[in-house]
Amino acid sequence: MKIKAILMFLISISLFLIALSLLSSLVEPKYASGSREGNLIAEYYRESDSKSLHDVIFVGDCEAYSTFVPPLLWERYGITSFVRGSPSQTIAQSYTLITETLQYETPKAIVLSVYALCREEGAREAYNRITLDGMRPSLHKLRAVFSSIGEEESAISYFVPLLRYHSRWNELSAEDFKYLFKRPQVSHNGYLLEKEIEAPENVECEKGEAPHDLPRENLDYLDRIIKECKKSGVELILVKAPVDSWLYPWYEEWDREINGWAEMNGVKYYDLIIHKGQIGIDMRCDSYDGGLHLNVFGAEKTTVYFGEMLQKEHNIAPHHGEKTVSRWKEKLDKYYKERNE
């Protein structure tokens, strides 16, 4: 009788957890037709599950996923890559994503977008959700949650989404049921393609001195990142996207701070703003939102330019294996199909 009671208890618990998981998946936003950025973090696991390995992992905020195009990097240089980017990703979240990635694979290099280093405050809950909800349950996610959430946020709701999204019952659509078990793929290995063209009102960004130094906490996380990379034998490369807008300005003082840190730690840092001329960036046609981010045309120029640096300055050699070539040909075909529609 005791064994039967225990079995019934375990079955009941299992059914409860299954039901809880299904309900959570149902009410979670699917980010299929709007706010596609919400699917970016989760898409990496499809690659890791298929045992796909990468030479380069790009990590960071919107300047990462709107600047570097993995299919083009493969086409031009034979370099395999993935972008683990998300909107307003904090440097603490980047650190956690890097440590998690190193549990799945050991790339030759990790390229970290540095704009998040200037942020004094953490991301709002909406942005935390876009990054953290997409992570698989793990100690890495647990650390990311506690390093990110505000006082009014519930940590447990990041592991049981039903607690946060239960009010979406009256908003459910056919899309929620269609993508209940598998989210739509919205990116090209983490790159989110944007074809719109919107020029900034003022091409040149006027600014004075930096309003503050780079926060010490952010630099501490940067120290942790370099230690993790060195421990795993992975080269860390820092990069600033070739974007300097009226809303998200980049100051010379911040640039000098990062340069000093990079030199002290033996890390390469590329400020692509000063390379805009060589890259060929023209914000009148290379941005989709008034100069804040690059569109596909600006991203392609930057990818080609930076890819040459990866190949020549960092000795990242091309891949020629039959399986790799076949897999990336399929990715490239999908990329050009969307790009040229």
Side-chain angles (χ1 to χ4, degrees), residues 151-220:
E151 294 181 0
E152 297 181 358
E153 293 184 68
S154 166
I156 189 63
S157 67
Y158 282 91
F159 295 89
V160 186
L162 182 63
L163 299 176
R164 177 63 180 84
Y165 297 114
H166 59 86
S167 60
R168 286 193 72 241
W169 284 115
N170 59 350
E171 301 173 10
L172 294 179
S173 66
E175 186 177 275
D176 289 293
F177 292 92
K178 179 179 180 180
Y179 299 115
L180 174 61
F181 297 105
K182 188 176 182 180
R183 299 286 181 87
Q185 185 168 341
V186 302
S187 79
H188 300 275
N189 269 44
Y191 169 68
L192 198 60
L193 195 156
E194 297 284 357
K195 292 184 284 187
E196 298 297 321
I197 297 175
E198 182 183 335
E201 294 183 8
N202 297 309
V203 176
E204 297 299 326
C205 176
E206 297 182 7
K207 54 184 182 290
E209 295 182 355
H212 58 80
D213 293 336
L214 295 176
R216 182 66 252 175
E217 182 181 3
N218 291 347
L219 294 175
D220 288 342

Side-chain angles (χ1 to χ4, degrees), residues 117 214 222 238 250 252-271 274:
L117 287 170
L214 295 176
L222 195 54
L238 306 180
W250 187 248
E252 293 180 5
E253 292 87 346
W254 295 342
D255 209 57
R256 285 196 295 268
E257 277 194 77
I258 296 176
N259 257 317
W261 183 94
E263 290 177 4
M264 183 174 63
N265 289 277
V267 172
K268 291 291 291 185
Y269 167 52
Y270 299 101
D271 178 4
I274 63 177

Side-chain angles (χ1 to χ4, degrees), residues 261-324:
W261 183 94
E263 290 177 4
M264 183 174 63
N265 289 277
V267 172
K268 291 291 291 185
Y269 167 52
Y270 299 101
D271 178 4
L272 297 184
I273 295 173
I274 63 177
H275 293 254
K276 285 172 68 173
Q278 297 99 303
I279 296 171
I281 293 295
D282 183 346
M283 281 301 175
R284 292 171 296 184
C285 57
D286 288 333
S287 173
Y288 67 86
D289 56 0
L292 306 182
H293 307 91
L294 297 177
N295 59 22
V296 66
F297 312 110
E300 287 183 344
K301 295 175 185 177
T302 306
T303 299
V304 171
Y305 185 85
F306 192 68
E308 186 174 4
M309 288 180 167
L310 291 174
Q311 189 177 72
K312 293 183 177 181
E313 302 296 328
H314 301 275
N315 300 313
I316 299 180
H319 276 85
H320 297 294
E322 185 177 340
K323 289 184 178 180
T324 302

